[in-house]
């Protein structure tokens, strides 16, 4: 049985995602609601090692729910990969009396947290904050909904100019291992084709798909390419396709880091608010070394092996539907 | 066993919702994908009676996925409530050879469709398009995600001015029977209190909640009021609260019809795309007199009694969390 | 010749407007650029009386240029209308060594500033921050561009639902004395009619205008009503029009305070940045008791009489064009 | 004295810009207002040669004022550069009875129009539609306001992630010959430095500027680079800077074609509406071979030499202010 928890600390780590501030706010206010002290650690594991830690109150997190980024900042820490780094981090949090941790981030964040838990036995819990939606054990990760809407908004703008000029556009979106953003922004953007890491599509297949579009007198086309697609980058694919369709006016846009920012959608704010509260309640209920998730509308606490061993699922029905609709 | 379906018609009915065009597009393209003819009926049941019907092809629904409203228009039809009206409607669609219907709308739309099915035996299926998210049998209805984001965007703007002036704002949002928009926009907007049709909150309770805010030196507050709340309209509630807090600068904003419009979010476009395809596939698979739904990530076909007899569910955990976070 | 200025204070007063934070930032950084100390006064004249004043540096105004509202907050002060109130305010700023003031606000703000200048002789300058664009001596006031875009965004959403239902919508926008927002959002929103404080339009004239729309088979119409229109509120006008057109489905939306908030447009940020710098440079150049303006692309410093005696100009050519385009 | 004009044709040419549809609408409705027939030519000079011309009425341009792109489409025509191409074009428009042309586009469009006028003597007028705002003779071109807001919205999103990670971002924006978008989005985005075609900035100067930022403990920085900057592309500059600041985490984003799309701002819609009306009124008043402009709030008709011989002006005061504010 865990000893009582009195002082919780929260931090963000890895790539930032819209909604992280809403999650921080929820962790802080839930801790206060349950009469616990709550600390914020700046710059993730880096700040834990540098002792960059402050106590927070309910007002510290006022007027942040709508902001992109993370007020606690984020960083990648090489030092935390070393035993000495982690020992220094542990001493810093111990000296503040911190007896439980909530980390907000992706699988890398959870990996660090798991190592820390194994070494020092402190109750820890992870909240999935990453735009990629590539984690098993939860239907949605914080930031994914906002990022996909940001992509779709950009695709809508690009469609305006594509339609005005009968152009073929290749739009590269985030997703090293996951096609989630690509599939859903592709359906929502009315893309002629979607290229993702989880499915092979040869240039021949792509050209066949686009050519059918040509026959049916479609005047312009958009292709969404996840950055981790197996046929190369959007730039590479566009170059190959242009060789086959020299008469097309082909353009490439790489959306890049603007996908990470912006005011979070209601969905990400509510998801982050729930997960932040569940994380604190989970800790107080004795859960440790787990990641919060919401699956089929139920709260779940996934252990480390579940998150790491299973690949994320791909929405195969969405893929199927994208093909029906791009006729 | 149903006789073969060859000619499908689609229409929208009741209040419009963002994503209806994406649903129309999906019904049209799925019909064509399955080698069926597809017709569009303008202005819902009214156009069915007036014989305002056109044949559609894949290009008819190009470049509409991002548009609010409905290209097929919508109307409320008194005449369709009469047996003569429905008979006229049936004759019109019969004369076109239409042998199955897809309706996009809310419970009123399904009620009309059910009556039509009972009288004429035509295969019919309903796609849930309404911003209220007040239907059992599906986690989400088309338009709800967009409408809630529209509300949250307005709340963010109002918060700017509320914070600049230390004001108390009452914001009235749509939801005659359902607090779904109010609860989720309330959490996402960081509201001090949320008033919904499904839960009683007296003015005394509200005042106690806001006063606690006062004690904790909160400098401004937002209260979200669903239009169907039991304590009266936002205007009424504000008047009552002002009597108790004469020193507060109280303002009311009624968001009104702007909640219905706008480019749909990716979520509503994908939801509408899936449901439109499922509706056509359901019809071809022999389903009739049902409403498509997606529940716990599974496609379901709900019969009329399920939709009508059960009230919609309220997210009680979201309500609980809104209270923890408004400290 | 003015004695040297060393310590400048900045504050916002009256209704808040998007871009006020950009103006604060510009005043602060320009002061530092010219090696002056810079103070911020909270809640306008109220904070001057309450001695709610802090010293600022370049970092104090980091990451605020994109935020709506005002970080210095605003308030209306009854006490400042009294000689005692102003004396208390003067003593507070004198005790800090503040020897010049920059006020950001509308004509009420300038009126208070002018009285203060007359009594105490302190160099003062006003920056026009108000969404109404109703001040002579400048082509644009800070906040107007953003507010008009916010209105147009709402009008676009309402048009979606108006077109889907063949409805007549009356949309009330801000503007007690000024039709600037109404005229420009009316043109940009494709309104059938625009009702403003500066021009009489009888219900008969309005009905004639809308009826012509009916003849030409226009399927839905929007009417923009400035809140200070002479024919009454949007609600009143809609009631009158409905009497004459009982067959129309008429709706009213009052946009209210959401017009004040939101991230400022580039235009308002650049305008505020320029005006904030010009205000500091004006003060250091010996200007006092004036309001900064930009007219025909030239910087001007308007004295109090100019701002108060002349009414603001109305863009009569825009009005003329709105009538040509609403055929 | 020109013979009477009865049949006007309008077309868009060159790169598309938000607000072109508003301009088309204004040309169409003003023509009808003045009892003229009005035609639309698809795909610019290309469609003139291909005889891709339709007659328009007031309804043809309903519900387009808010749409990005151009409903008349645009194209670049090699054939129109030949005398034969132009002759074919002239014969096509003559056969329709078209006796005056309104072209919407940039300097390339005007160049083609001027050649056409010289050869065939038809009354012609050009409306400046280009996001670059690089034309003398008008304070603003259609599309520039929207494009700059699109850039600033992207910069705001990127700032979220830059601040969360203490990163240095290089953002490349459109502007081959013109720094207008870069300067104004740089001021509005709070950029540490702005690199434009019209002003030399060496890597040494840039590094000195950014380093000062480092000293003053600025935690992250944005640099805006116009694509036509003299020090190379954003990618090149970032590579050079990274050599000098190896400890910085440097990222590059190239905004690309999303800058051309999107619903136009109120400013671009009103500008386009005015210019479209002025173009028709100018033609009817005997003007020919000119480009409409609005300068210092006055309508002007610029002849071909004015537009071509003078370079566009740069807002040197804005540049000066950007430097004061980036301290």
């Amino acid at each position: 049985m865990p000893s009582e928890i009195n002082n919780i600390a929260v931090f963000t780590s890895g790539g930032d995602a819209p909604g992280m501030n809403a999650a921080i706010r929820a962790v802080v206010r839930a801790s206060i609601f349950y009469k616990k002290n709550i600390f914020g650690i700046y710059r993730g594991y880096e700040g834990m090692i540098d002792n960059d830690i402050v106590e927070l109150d309910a007002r510290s997190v006022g007027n942040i729910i709508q902001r992109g980024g993370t007020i606690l900042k984020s960083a990648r820490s090489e030092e935390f990969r070393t035993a000495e780094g982690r020992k220094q981090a542990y001493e810093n949090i111990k000296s503040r009396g911190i007896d439980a941790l909530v980390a907000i981030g992706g699988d890398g964040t959870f990996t660090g947290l798991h190592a820390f838990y194994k070494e020092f036995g402190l109750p820890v819990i992870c909240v999935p904050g990453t735009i990629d939606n590539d984690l098993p054990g939860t239907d949605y990760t914080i930031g994914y909904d906002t990022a996909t809407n940001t992509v779709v908004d950009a695709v809508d703008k690009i469609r305006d100019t594509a339609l005005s000029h009968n152009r073929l556009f290749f739009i590269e979106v985030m997703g090293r291992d996951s096609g989630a953003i690509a599939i859903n922004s592709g359906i929502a953007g009315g893309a002629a084709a979607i290229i993702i890491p989880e499915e092979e599509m040869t240039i021949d297949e792509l050209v066949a798909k686009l050519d059918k579009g040509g026959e049916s007198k479609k005047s312009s086309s958009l292709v969404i390419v996840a950055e981790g697609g197996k046929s190369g980058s959007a730039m590479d694919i566009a170059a190959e396709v242009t060789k086959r369709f020299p008469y097309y006016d082909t353009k490439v846009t790489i959306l890049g880091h603007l996908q990470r920012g912006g005011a979070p959608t209601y969905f990400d704010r509510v998801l982050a608010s729930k997960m932040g509260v569940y994380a604190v309640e989970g800790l107080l209920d004795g859960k440790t070394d787990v990641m919060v998730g919401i699956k089929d509308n139920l709260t779940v606490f996934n252990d480390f092996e579940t998150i790491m061993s299973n690949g994320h699922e791909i929405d195969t029905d969405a893929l199927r539907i994208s093909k029906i609709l791009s006729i």
Side-chain angles (χ1 to χ4, degrees), chain A residues 235-247:
Chain A
M235 211 66 103
D236 298 337
I237 296 171
E240 281 301 310
V241 169
T242 305
K243 283 185 205 160
R244 320 270 185 109
F245 291 131
Y247 47 87

Side-chain angles (χ1 to χ4, degrees), chain A residues 202-224:
Chain A
T202 66
I203 299 291
D204 284 341
E205 285 164 338
L206 175 60
V207 163
K209 208 164 169 41
L210 295 173
D211 208 28
K212 199 186 64 186
E215 269 168 41
S216 66
K217 304 261 180 286
K218 198 165 190 177
S219 58
S220 70
S221 290
L222 305 177
V223 177
I224 307 291

Side-chain angles (χ1 to χ4, degrees), chain A residues 17-326:
Chain A
M20 279 187 162
N21 281 327
I24 293 168
R25 173 180 178 268
V27 171
V28 169
R29 295 205 170 167
S31 297
I32 293 166
F33 182 85
Y34 289 111
K35 316 285 186 208
K36 306 301 168 189
N37 300 311
I38 176 73
F39 296 81
I41 303 169
Y42 284 95
R43 295 177 297 115
Y45 296 115
E46 195 82 0
M48 214 184 282
I49 294 170
D50 296 349
N51 206 4
D52 197 359
I53 303 173
V54 293
E55 189 162 357
L56 301 171
D57 63 23
R59 285 317 118 219
S60 313
V61 292
N63 199 24
I64 66 164
I65 197 170
Q66 80 278 22
R67 295 208 186 133
T70 156
I71 60 164
L72 292 178
K73 304 205 172 203
S74 186
R76 296 180 201 268
S77 174
E78 287 306 311
E79 217 177 332
F80 195 78
R81 292 168 191 263
T82 68
E84 301 77 51
R86 289 194 296 273
K87 187 150 176 294
Q88 181 61 52
Y90 180 71
E91 277 163 20
N92 288 336
I93 63 168
K94 210 63 204 169
S95 75
R96 302 276 184 141
I98 292 165
D99 44 25
L101 295 176
V102 179
I104 304 165
D107 54 2
T109 302
F110 196 10
T111 302
L113 196 68
H114 176 69
F116 201 67
Y117 169 71
K118 285 290 174 199
E119 284 173 23
F120 306 107
L122 204 72
V124 299
I125 207 159
C126 190
V127 171
T130 163
I131 65 168
D132 289 338
N133 206 28
D134 59 352
L135 298 175
T138 194
D139 288 336
Y140 294 101
T141 57
I142 297 166
Y144 164 72
D145 188 78
T146 305
T148 309
N149 277 311
T150 298
V151 169
V152 169
D153 184 57
V155 171
D156 284 353
K157 288 188 167 71
I158 291 168
R159 190 194 304 105
D160 284 343
T161 194
L163 282 170
S164 298
H165 289 277
N166 291 352
R167 270 177 182 155
L168 174 60
F169 263 93
F170 291 82
I171 304 171
E172 187 172 297
V173 304
M174 284 193 171
R176 287 237 165 78
D177 313 297
S178 165
I181 291 177
I183 294 171
N184 283 287
S185 64
I187 294 177
I194 302 169
I195 298 175
I196 57 170
E198 296 94 337
E199 194 192 52
E200 198 82 44
M201 185 188 290
T202 66
I203 299 291
D204 284 341
E205 285 164 338
L206 175 60
V207 163
K209 208 164 169 41
L210 295 173
D211 208 28
K212 199 186 64 186
E215 269 168 41
S216 66
K217 304 261 180 286
K218 198 165 190 177
S219 58
S220 70
S221 290
L222 305 177
V223 177
I224 307 291
V225 183
E227 57 184 342
K230 281 173 185 154
S231 317
S233 71
M235 211 66 103
D236 298 337
I237 296 171
E240 281 301 310
V241 169
T242 305
K243 283 185 205 160
R244 320 270 185 109
F245 291 131
Y247 47 87
Y248 255 115
D249 183 10
T250 303
K251 300 277 176 189
V252 178
T253 293
I254 298 162
L255 291 181
H257 278 80
L258 71 90
Q259 295 168 77
R260 291 200 176 281
T265 57
Y266 104 82
F267 189 96
D268 274 329
R269 298 189 204 184
V270 171
L271 183 71
S273 295
K274 286 181 169 178
M275 284 181 163
V277 172
Y278 297 157
V280 171
E281 292 178 342
L283 276 178
L284 299 182
D285 194 42
K287 302 274 188 309
T288 188
D289 198 26
V290 290
M291 181 180 268
V292 178
I294 299 178
K295 226 175 148 61
D296 299 342
N297 297 310
L298 293 174
T299 309
V300 285
F301 293 95
N302 301 284
D303 58 26
F304 185 69
E305 284 68 34
T306 304
I307 298 296
M308 294 300 155
S309 59
N310 306 325
H312 66 279
E313 288 162 47
I314 183 173
D315 185 344
T316 49
D317 207 46
L319 256 187
R320 182 180 76 85
I321 277 164
S322 76
K323 285 160 192 168
I324 291 176
L325 298 182
S326 60

